Amino acid sequence: MKFSQKISKLLLLLMSFLILSACSLPGVSSSQEKAIRVAGLATTEGRILNEIVRQMIEHETDLKVDTINNLGTSVVLHQAVMQGDADVTSVRYTGTEMAATLGIEPEKDPDKALELVQEIFAKDFKMKYYDSYGFDNTYAFMVTQETADRLQLKTVADLEKYKDQIDAGFDSQWLIREGDGYPGFVEAYGFELANKHSMQIGLVYDALAAGKMDTVLGYSTDGRIASYNLVTLEDNLKFFPPYDASPAATYEILEEYPELDEVLSRLVGQIDTETMQKLNYTADHQLTEPAIVAKNFLEEHNYFREEE
């Protein structure tokens, strides 16, 4: 046998040995259990809830989790699931799903809204839309305490008296959003604000506290409401629909890993509005990483296990 043929045989044997060895190593097998892909929003709240879901799953099961963080909108979040890039979404809001994802007239009754969204998600998207975590993160018009006292502002309707004078800061997406966005607001309340400023949602609180804006539209669970001592105005015409927050998961992933359903169900009703606001405050004002905020919260509540 020629020398070159011997070398070729040796190389072939070596490659075969390496392939067989790799197949026998733990964590290399082609049948290795896949990771659960959990997607979340770019907001502080979205990042905290993404971590709560991830840490609950990894602490309570043998499953591994890959997180998809910082998705810009609920529509993008939904598309990630529909395109097969995610299995679980850590937070969905009923009002947003009705207006943006489903494009239907928002139901104003919280229980009916949740039931409606759950039915459509199950039928059209093959997803389980869980009952609420326990909080409603609605849109809210806000002013400083000083402005509220000076202008005697208590409700959103009170802003009409100052519609041509005040500077108002709004999330750029809300200004053009149909349903629960600015066009619908004008129709419901019957007035426009002359000095509108398009802003990133994360900047509106700072702008209001710094006196650069007279009123802004923010989220009712944001921790900066407490840190800046802001006042939320009553939506006296009930324009905004309920925005109860829930996780959601595909039926496919729940059927493959039934233990996942038990873990996600355990989070239902465990986070009220005040608690979520405190968690957001800890991250935004005290500059604690969302992963640490989630870890401390879950450990404090013993991962919501039933008392033994």
Side-chain angles (χ1 to χ4, degrees), residues 48 278-280 282-283 288-298:
I48 292 172
K278 288 179 180 177
L279 295 177
N280 287 330
T282 303
T288 305
E289 282 295 320
I292 303 300
V293 174
K295 180 175 182 290
N296 292 341
F297 173 70
L298 291 173

Side-chain angles (χ1 to χ4, degrees), residues 18-38:
L18 289 173
I19 291 170
L20 289 171
S21 299
C23 289
S24 65
L25 289 173
V28 179
S29 171
S30 59
S31 63
Q32 180 185 7
E33 198 170 50
K34 69 180 182 182
I36 308 299
R37 299 164 300 172
V38 177

